[in-house]
Amino acid sequence: MAVYADLHIHSPFSMATSPSMTPASLCEAAAVKGIEVLGSGDALHPEWRAAWKAYEDETGTVVLPTTEVEGKGRVHHLIIMEDFSLFEELAAVLAPHSRDLLTGGRPHVRLDGETIAAAVHDLGGLVGPAHAFTPWTSLYASHDSVASCYGEEPINFLELGLSADTSYGAGIPELDGVPFLSNSDAHSAHPVKLGREFNRLDLDTVTTKAAFDAVKQGKVSLNAGFFPEEGKYNRTACTRCYRHYSLDEAEAHAWTCPVDGGRIKKGVQNRAHELGGGGDLSGRPPYYHIIPLGEIIRVVLGVSSPMTKKVEARYARLTETFETEIAVLAEVPPEEIAGVDPEIGAAIGAFREGQVKLVPGGGGKYGTFSFL
């Protein structure tokens, strides 16, 4: 049985996160999106664990306990457990090494990747680098190899991040056999954020244990997410004015923007290629490039935000007719969509045929798109 899963989100206890995020709002949004397995996010936080334990779901969403922590070197690690009680045990192990474990949704832990991974593995959990290629807080921002961060401890997966797709990791020898995950890292339950990247898992039954086992066994049959150019760190660019630079130009300017003195940050595309990415995709699940339906509607209507009433009305009509956003984006024939909304049906058809013009993001500014 194939189900869609988004395994990396956050709670109101994380910085820059919507206070309206609750277990109920998240599961309701996941159901509309078409996400059947949802990572809890922030499972080391005692109040967030309690909120999930008290929640009685009516949507059929399977919740898999997950969290993200920041370790030494500003490397972010995604952790997955089979049960919330195991995160309570992990919290006890990590508490002496963190000042904000009880207050922050994504805590800082003064331990290296190997020690964190060993603690997770001792409890039967899974761990891997979060948004592995991004230039600020990731494995490949601080290290040139997995072993440099995790030592003798294996990683169970690698999360690609919004600025990368499978092609960026393919070809890096040390990642052979390591499953790739694509998750939203959502800080809001709004459908433009939640499930903006997701995985398709092959499960025998739709349960928490089956979902955990599928990730553990690498039963990921599809990754879906942004065109890498949409990510805000895809290209090497100034973090102040967002001007793009080639690697040679950035190095010639000593990584300082000559226009405004801003810092130039190396983009994911350049970093992945340095590591050997861009290689053979054979043996990897397909990667399906998506654009959130709200963003497609926004561009068609020519409005500035996907959260306007006009966009939300068109979105609601389509998801009520075809049940989920993912169905509209990836499964329902465009001509059927056009029968409900001719403009959006045409846009979905163009999107699926690759008739999209992308303006890459970089330096912290998301990329943009338009239809050809």
Side-chain angles (χ1 to χ4, degrees):
M1 184 184 306
V3 303
Y4 297 120
D6 180 1
L7 304 176
H8 182 178
I9 67 168
H10 288 282
S11 74
F13 300 100
S14 287
M15 293 179 61
T17 304
S18 170
S20 65
M21 290 180 80
T22 63
S25 67
L26 286 165
C27 287
E28 289 166 5
V32 173
K33 193 81 179 191
I35 298 295
E36 295 168 86
V37 177
L38 181 67
S40 69
D42 297 359
L44 284 168
H45 196 286
E47 291 182 50
W48 192 236
R49 287 199 305 273
W52 279 114
K53 289 179 180 179
Y55 173 62
E56 295 184 8
D57 179 53
E58 297 181 355
T59 67
T61 305
V62 169
V63 178
L64 188 60
T66 64
T67 198
E68 180 186 20
V69 301
E70 181 176 308
K72 282 187 175 180
R74 300 192 70 198
V75 178
H76 285 200
H77 310 273
L78 179 62
I79 301 170
I80 303 174
M81 296 284 195
E82 192 174 332
D83 190 87
F84 281 107
S85 64
L86 295 170
F87 270 111
E88 189 171 355
E89 293 185 48
L90 182 62
V93 174
L94 300 181
H97 310 283
S98 176
R99 295 178 180 176
D100 62 347
L101 195 73
L102 299 179
T103 57
R106 185 188 60 204
H108 298 72
V109 179
R110 298 185 300 275
L111 295 171
D112 60 29
E114 183 174 23
T115 306
I116 292 171
V120 173
H121 290 148
D122 284 347
L123 292 169
L126 310 176
V127 63
H131 41 75
F133 298 97
T134 53
W136 294 107
T137 52
S138 73
L139 167 67
Y140 288 126
S142 299
H143 299 270
D144 289 328
S145 70
V146 171
S148 172
C149 178
Y150 291 97
E152 297 297 320
E153 288 293 320
I155 57 172
N156 301 102
F157 53 80
L158 177 139
E159 184 183 63
L160 294 166
L162 302 183
S163 293
D165 62 12
T166 299
S167 70
Y168 283 49
I172 300 176
E174 66 177 354
L175 300 182
D176 288 348
V178 176
F180 292 161
L181 296 181
S182 44
N183 301 308
S184 70
D185 198 357
H187 286 57
S188 165
H190 193 280
V192 170
K193 302 297 183 182
L194 188 74
R196 58 187 171 178
E197 298 209 343
F198 57 86
N199 314 275
R200 188 173 67 202
L201 304 179
D202 292 330
L203 310 183
D204 293 328
T205 58
V206 187
T207 63
T208 299
K209 175 174 172 47
F212 179 88
D213 288 344
V215 177
K216 183 177 182 179
Q217 297 163 17
K219 292 183 177 180
V220 180
S221 58
L222 174 80
N223 297 102
F226 282 17
F227 291 92
E229 293 86 349
E230 292 180 83
K232 59 183 179 179
Y233 296 114
N234 183 256
R235 299 297 168 86
T236 297
C238 173
T239 57
R240 187 177 296 170
C241 69
Y242 309 117
R243 178 187 174 96
H244 290 195
Y245 292 93
S246 68
L247 274 185
D248 288 342
E249 289 172 334
E251 290 169 357
H253 294 302
W255 298 92
T256 301
C257 179
V259 177
D260 62 7
R263 185 177 183 181
I264 299 174
K265 288 300 289 183
K266 186 181 294 182
V268 167
Q269 183 192 62
N270 286 143
R271 183 59 175 141
H273 287 168
E274 283 181 342
L275 295 162
D280 187 2
L281 291 172
S282 62
R284 290 285 180 185
Y287 191 102
Y288 186 72
H289 293 105
I290 62 169
I291 297 170
L293 180 58
E295 289 289 351
I296 292 175
I297 298 171
R298 176 190 67 78
V299 169
V300 169
L301 295 181
V303 298
S304 60
S305 170
M307 300 182 187
T308 63
K309 290 183 179 179
K310 287 184 178 180
V311 173
E312 291 184 343
R314 301 278 277 268
Y315 180 93
R317 184 181 182 192
L318 288 166
T319 53
E320 287 168 5
T321 302
F322 300 111
E323 297 188 356
T324 71
E325 177 180 337
I326 292 175
V328 175
L329 291 175
E331 299 171 352
V332 179
E335 55 269 24
E336 289 188 30
I337 300 170
V340 175
D341 191 318
E343 287 184 300
I344 305 306
I348 294 290
F351 152 67
R352 291 191 192 172
E353 293 172 6
Q355 298 176 14
V356 178
K357 179 182 178 181
L358 298 164
V359 177
K365 181 180 180 180
Y366 284 107
T368 60
F369 73 94
S370 58
F371 295 106
L372 299 176

